[in-house]
Amino acid sequence: MSELIEAVRAGRTAEVVGLLDGMTDAERRAQSPGLKALRKELRAARWDAASRRAYPALHAAGAACQTGAAGAASWITAADMRWSGLSPAVLLHVLGDRDPGWLADVAHRIAERPASAQVPYELMAGLVRLAGCPVPTTDAYVRGWVQHIGSTWQRGDTVFDRLRGDAHLTDLVAALFETRDIGNVLEWGSGDGPNSWNDALARLTVEGTLDRGATVDACVARLLRGGTAADHRAFLRVLQSLALTREEQRERVADWLALASDAASVVASHAQSVLGSLALDGELTHPHLAEMSHAVLFRTERKLVRAQLVLLGKVLTRDASAADELLPAVAQAFGHEDADVRERALKLAERHVKRAGSAEVRAELALAAEQLGPALRARAVATLGAAPVDAAATVYEEVLPPVPQPTRLAPAPSSVTELAEEVGAALTADAGVTGFERALDGLVRHAYGNRENLLEALEPVVARRWWVDPRYLGADRRYGDLRHGMFDTSDALDLVLATLWEKTRTDTLHGGLQQGAPAHSCVHAAFSRASDARVWEVAYRIRTEPLPLLLSTPTWSTGLLEPDELVARLDTYRRLGARVAASDFAQAQLRVRREDRSVAAAAARRASALGTAEGARLARWLTAGKPVPPVVRRRTSGTRILAESGEVLELQEDFPSSFRALGRPVSAFGESRYCYHWNNALRAQWPAMVPERRELVAVRLLRDLSDVAADDTRGTASVLPLLAEAGGEAGEATHLGVAYGLGARHPEDRLAAVDALLVLAARGQLDASRLGADLGQLVRRGAVKPTRLAESLRTAAATGANATIWGLLSHALPVLLADLATDGPAGPIRGLGDLLAVAAECAERSGARGELPHLARTADRRGTSRLVSQARRLRGALMPEVAA
């Protein structure tokens, strides 16, 4: 062992640096193999005390003994060196005697590494300084530079001072505007004060250190390219700090038009203000203002649209000659989704239509007025010359999506190669019910009759699994704890694969099969215990008595199993003399389709003729009658409305103990809140376990679903479309779950709830009065925010389901308007006006008529608030004779 290697192993970094000083290239090359061997040895036990002690010295020695720039860069930035703790100053010292060209090569190579490699900026900048080379402008270097400049508290100076003294300021500022997702780094620690980046860059352009024109152009170009919300905020602040002169604003009219049209709302608002100022000063041509208006009035942001209409009104008032150019742009807003915007646009057009000198413009306004709702359309007939509404042509027709049709599962792969591909895909990504069931059934079938070929085909898949690593003690280290459940479907497949590779002990598998109820049972435990028991049983039988196939593999993507298929599988077991697995058969019973009584009765006769115990059980199950839904009771908890269900006796008889919990009562409060079932992909499997009993799933997920509205959690509502497509009664729990989803914090959850709502309506299973009353109570209690609910219902109505949404709101709004009618101390619920606007829109489009309780009292209030104006609009739609 050389003196250098010995010093490295002992972690004597100072001694190592002394030994490296003055080494020739030949001497460095001679030490390199020993250092590589030591690195390989230490990597096997990276976090041992000896390894942690040696790594800083190894980091320095390995970098210094690389004679090629590529090798040095690779060693310096290696993942196992990242946490060595070696100071960049030490690396700069041991590399400092190299040729400047070599140092420049190393500097640029390490700067090209991704920012996630966490190469210290001090090291990159130090190499650039030693080499005297052009500065790298890579993502990692620019991010490091921004963080270095921004850490002013370490020295007591300012961002402006540090930028001003940077030798590479021009190149790095230009690169700053090209770097993606840099906004958060710019904002962190500096804010908007005198020590901010935007203030410093503006001051540098004033004093001439930075070219002002180039900086402004770069900033505008950066905003045009878009990016994250943080990027928008950060670079907009820079642009505002630059305080463009009127001449600079006029030079960039095309850029402002593009930003007003397509940029994020905050940026578009700034561009709109610049163009508006130019327009009011007569420095923006009417064609340009019309172009801007066509773009802005097409946007969904009400604030931008209203501001644009105000601007158009001011310009039209000042300059009558602008009417022919600008009124067609005003008509763009006749089709806007917001009723207030449509009414404002109509008022503006009515006020200035007489100034239009062109018959073509008036005809264009009249044609555009056909987009208006019935009430505004009637006004436009008199004021704009729009065509009267043809009553015969306005018969409303509800448009609902087609009822989703389940897809039939393809048979398990007959080729072990194809099966290996599907198993690999299911392990790396959520494969859903279809992918998981096909993979599991395929493993069982090939393990029964083709085991050797199966193992050979699965080798590339298994080679990447955690339990194969020789440093790991095997799958028993994880699965040996019987309190542990499957976190997701990949856990289940891993257990089966580890069993095939004999990485689990037979007693571990038997223990998993026999485990009882967990000490702390959460509300989801009934589903997890049943699904886990099935997988443990499959693994145990693969080890002891392989199954020829799975009885419980569904026929359809919803989880339903055709009774004829199940009978045929039981017949296969009978012919092969195979023993049926209890959990597998129990799952098959829960999945078998019983709603079609004639098909079930015919299958029951064939099952009874098999002459087996399982055939007799299946026959009794199929002829037992339609599944009886659980009795669901409502409970309240704070702002929430929850549900609990009674016992389902049918699920207590002839089922293994691990499945009986599915039929036991569910309490809204009794179960432990400690739970590991946070994986939404795992929850998505549960409706397929009881595909004709959706209420059993909904009641156990209701508190989680309430969290998406009350606690702003994300993702749980993704199960709602699956519940909507499932079978069985859509009762209290299902409707409450949809109600919470419609008021969810995150848009993707609201969209999932809208999908579920429309599917239930299309299937004729939506109880509008129940869901509407639930929504009214949840809004009144504060669990659901009206603005979120209004957005969801507006989205649903936009698909053509106006009558459906009106049906909900006709039962929700009286609950909310009743409080206003009593003149209590509490004011109107914030956002109630938005709900009234959606209701008015749906009533107008669907032709709804009749009196809505408590609406008149609200409509007769004084003022022109959104609440009052939309109440009047809704009353006018429901009772046109009163409005007249």
Side-chain angles (χ1 to χ4, degrees):
M1 183 185 300
S2 71
E3 186 179 0
L4 178 65
I5 301 297
E6 184 179 348
V8 168
R9 185 181 291 278
R12 299 193 293 268
T13 305
E15 181 180 340
V16 168
V17 171
L19 292 171
L20 292 170
D21 285 344
M23 270 192 181
T24 64
D25 283 351
E27 290 171 333
R28 292 190 180 101
R29 280 194 294 269
Q31 296 292 339
S32 186
L35 291 170
K36 290 179 180 177
L38 178 58
R39 178 185 180 186
K40 183 177 181 180
E41 175 189 333
L42 296 178
R43 191 185 294 164
R46 189 181 307 173
W47 305 112
D48 287 356
S51 297
R52 293 198 304 270
R53 182 173 62 249
Y55 255 109
L58 178 63
H59 197 177
C65 290
Q66 297 291 327
T67 55
S74 178
W75 187 284
I76 289 170
T77 59
D80 58 329
M81 298 295 175
R82 186 176 303 167
W83 309 109
S84 71
L86 184 67
S87 167
V90 175
L91 283 173
L92 292 173
H93 176 85
V94 299
L95 297 175
D97 59 350
R98 299 296 186 91
D99 176 75
W102 187 90
L103 291 172
D105 194 0
V106 173
H108 281 263
R109 285 178 183 274
I110 65 174
E112 287 170 359
R113 298 298 173 104
S116 58
Q118 300 181 13
V119 180
Y121 168 76
E122 292 79 4
L123 175 61
M124 294 186 286
L127 290 171
V128 169
R129 184 177 64 255
L130 291 173
C133 63
V135 66
T137 54
T138 63
D139 180 79
Y141 194 95
V142 173
R143 288 179 184 278
W145 174 70
V146 171
Q147 291 168 341
H148 172 73
I149 293 294
S151 58
T152 56
W153 66 87
Q154 295 179 357
R155 296 186 180 180
D157 50 6
T158 66
V159 170
F160 173 73
D161 294 331
R162 303 184 83 169
L163 287 175
R164 195 181 194 189
D166 196 302
H168 304 286
L169 176 65
T170 301
D171 291 336
L172 289 172
V173 167
L176 174 66
F177 289 110
E178 300 287 338
T179 303
R180 296 180 60 84
D181 301 337
I182 195 68
N184 280 326
V185 186
L186 285 173
E187 290 181 324
W188 187 77
S190 60
D192 283 325
N195 193 36
S196 63
W197 273 86
N198 46 285
D199 178 75
L201 292 174
R203 290 171 62 187
L204 290 169
T205 62
V206 170
E207 70 174 24
T209 304
L210 287 175
D211 181 84
R212 180 174 176 82
T215 304
V216 173
D217 287 342
C219 190
V220 172
R222 183 66 185 80
L223 291 172
L224 284 168
R225 282 197 300 275
T228 63
D231 284 352
H232 293 145
R233 291 192 303 268
F235 289 109
L236 179 59
R237 287 193 185 106
V238 173
L239 184 63
Q240 292 170 331
S241 295
L242 289 170
L244 271 61
T245 64
R246 184 49 58 94
E247 179 62 28
E248 289 172 327
Q249 291 175 344
R250 283 197 301 268
E251 290 173 353
R252 296 171 174 82
V253 166
D255 294 330
W256 306 130
L257 290 172
L259 291 172
S261 173
D262 298 321
S265 183
V266 64
V267 179
S269 179
H270 176 75
Q272 183 186 44
S273 67
V274 173
L275 290 170
S277 176
L278 292 173
L280 293 175
D281 289 345
E283 298 182 88
L284 186 70
T285 65
H286 294 158
H288 276 146
L289 180 56
E291 178 185 350
M292 170 196 178
S293 300
H294 278 291
V296 173
L297 294 177
F298 189 74
R299 297 182 67 118
T300 58
E301 300 95 328
R302 289 185 301 195
K303 183 178 179 181
L304 289 175
V305 173
R306 290 174 181 174
Q308 192 66 23
L309 290 174
V310 170
L311 173 62
L312 287 170
K314 290 180 179 179
V315 174
L316 285 167
T317 300
R318 292 185 181 188
D319 187 355
S321 66
D324 286 347
E325 290 276 7
L326 300 184
L327 284 178
V330 173
Q332 174 80 34
F334 288 175
H336 198 273
E337 64 179 23
D338 184 76
D340 281 348
V341 168
R342 295 197 295 271
E343 186 171 6
R344 287 169 183 253
L346 178 59
K347 287 181 180 178
L348 185 58
E350 289 171 336
R351 189 180 307 125
H352 297 284
V353 66
K354 294 181 180 179
R355 298 185 176 186
S358 167
E360 290 80 3
V361 170
R362 291 193 291 274
E364 186 175 347
L365 289 174
L367 182 63
E370 295 180 5
Q371 303 174 77
L372 297 168
L376 295 180
R377 173 85 175 271
R379 274 176 49 186
V381 170
T383 57
L384 300 182
V389 178
D390 183 357
T394 57
V395 176
Y396 176 73
E397 183 178 353
E398 183 84 342
V399 178
L400 292 171
V403 176
Q405 297 300 317
T407 57
R408 181 179 280 272
L409 266 69
S414 58
S415 161
V416 290
T417 303
E418 183 184 352
L419 174 62
E421 292 176 355
E422 293 200 11
V423 170
L427 287 169
T428 55
D430 175 28
V433 173
T434 301
F436 171 69
E437 293 292 346
R438 276 172 49 82
L440 187 61
D441 188 35
L443 289 172
V444 168
R445 288 173 182 265
H446 286 287
Y448 179 78
N450 197 15
R451 190 185 186 102
E452 291 185 3
N453 290 336
L454 174 62
L455 293 175
E456 182 180 353
L458 286 172
E459 280 184 1
V461 176
V462 169
R464 299 189 294 270
R465 304 314 295 168
W466 51 269
W467 42 267
V468 177
D469 192 325
R471 293 173 295 169
Y472 203 79
L473 298 181
D476 277 311
R477 177 171 176 177
R478 182 168 183 177
Y479 291 119
D481 184 353
L482 302 185
R483 294 168 298 174
H484 172 78
M486 309 294 176
F487 287 116
D488 52 36
T489 55
S490 67
D491 266 350
L493 293 177
D494 266 325
L495 176 59
V496 175
L497 291 172
T499 301
L500 283 168
W501 254 259
E502 299 187 353
K503 293 289 185 178
T504 54
R505 298 193 306 271
T506 303
D507 61 337
T508 298
L509 297 174
H510 186 264
L513 184 61
Q514 298 297 320
Q515 62 179 307
H520 300 285
S521 178
C522 69
V523 72
H524 317 104
F527 284 107
S528 65
R529 284 193 63 212
S531 60
D532 289 359
R534 177 179 173 232
V535 176
W536 280 108
E537 184 179 50
V538 166
Y540 179 70
R541 290 291 297 272
I542 283 176
R543 174 66 54 80
T544 61
E545 188 182 356
L547 301 168
L549 52 84
L550 286 181
L551 296 172
S552 56
T553 303
T555 307
W556 302 100
S557 56
T558 57
L560 274 176
L561 171 58
E562 289 296 329
D564 288 342
E565 286 194 33
L566 180 52
V567 173
R569 292 171 189 173
L570 285 173
D571 190 34
T572 300
Y573 268 73
R574 181 190 62 79
R575 287 187 292 102
L576 294 174
R579 184 169 61 89
V580 170
S583 294
D584 184 35
F585 183 63
Q587 178 62 89
Q589 278 187 264
L590 292 175
R591 282 177 168 166
V592 72
R593 185 164 66 95
R594 296 194 290 170
E595 286 186 339
D596 190 327
R597 303 309 304 156
S598 61
V599 172
R605 289 192 292 270
R606 289 191 293 274
S608 182
L610 292 176
T612 64
E614 288 76 22
R617 278 178 55 190
L618 178 59
R620 291 196 302 272
W621 181 258
L622 289 173
T623 55
K626 187 177 180 180
V628 178
V631 176
V632 176
R633 299 175 296 276
R634 298 161 69 94
R635 300 291 298 273
T636 58
S637 175
T639 63
R640 309 180 200 219
I641 300 174
L642 301 175
E644 56 188 20
S645 65
E647 190 173 30
V648 181
L649 294 177
E650 186 182 40
L651 299 182
Q652 303 298 307
E653 302 172 357
D654 293 336
F655 277 92
S657 60
S658 54
F659 279 76
R660 290 175 192 162
L662 290 170
R664 290 181 184 140
V666 177
S667 169
F669 310 107
E671 286 83 358
S672 169
R673 291 302 305 275
Y674 177 76
C675 176
Y676 59 81
H677 304 103
W678 57 78
N679 189 307
N680 290 321
L682 183 64
R683 292 187 181 117
Q685 299 279 333
W686 297 342
M689 293 179 64
V690 283
E692 289 187 336
R693 292 178 173 276
R694 76 178 113 204
E695 281 289 283
L696 288 180
V697 183
V699 75
R700 286 175 167 83
L701 285 176
L702 189 55
R703 182 173 282 276
D704 299 324
L705 289 167
S706 72
D707 289 342
V708 302
D711 290 342
D712 296 347
T713 60
R714 185 194 297 267
T716 308
S718 60
V719 77
L720 288 173
L722 300 177
L723 288 175
E725 294 176 27
E729 180 191 23
E732 291 271 5
T734 299
H735 280 76
L736 275 171
V738 173
Y740 283 117
L742 293 172
R745 163 67 176 83
H746 298 284
E748 62 269 29
D749 286 317
R750 293 197 296 270
L751 285 175
V754 168
D755 286 345
L757 167 68
L758 296 175
V759 168
L760 288 172
R763 297 182 70 186
Q765 297 172 340
L766 180 69
D767 187 335
S769 61
R770 169 185 279 169
L771 181 55
D774 286 343
L775 288 170
Q777 290 296 336
L778 291 174
V779 170
R780 187 172 182 269
R781 296 173 67 89
V784 167
K785 292 181 171 55
T787 50
R788 298 175 185 173
L789 176 59
E791 184 176 341
S792 296
L793 297 182
R794 188 180 296 114
T795 300
T799 67
N802 293 284
T804 298
I805 302 309
W806 166 245
L808 300 181
L809 288 170
S810 66
H811 292 88
L813 288 173
V815 177
L816 304 175
L817 295 174
D819 291 337
L820 293 179
T822 61
D823 288 329
I829 296 173
R830 183 184 179 192
L832 182 55
D834 293 329
L835 284 175
L836 285 168
V838 176
E841 183 79 14
C842 292
E844 289 173 351
R845 294 188 181 276
S846 64
R849 294 291 184 270
E851 185 176 355
L852 187 72
H854 310 297
L855 177 63
R857 185 75 175 266
T858 304
D860 290 337
R861 284 181 160 221
R862 295 180 179 178
T864 58
S865 67
R866 182 170 176 79
L867 172 69
V868 174
S869 63
Q870 292 305 319
R872 292 168 183 166
R873 178 188 169 205
L874 177 56
R875 181 174 63 176
L878 295 176
M879 307 175 68
E881 66 282 359
V882 174

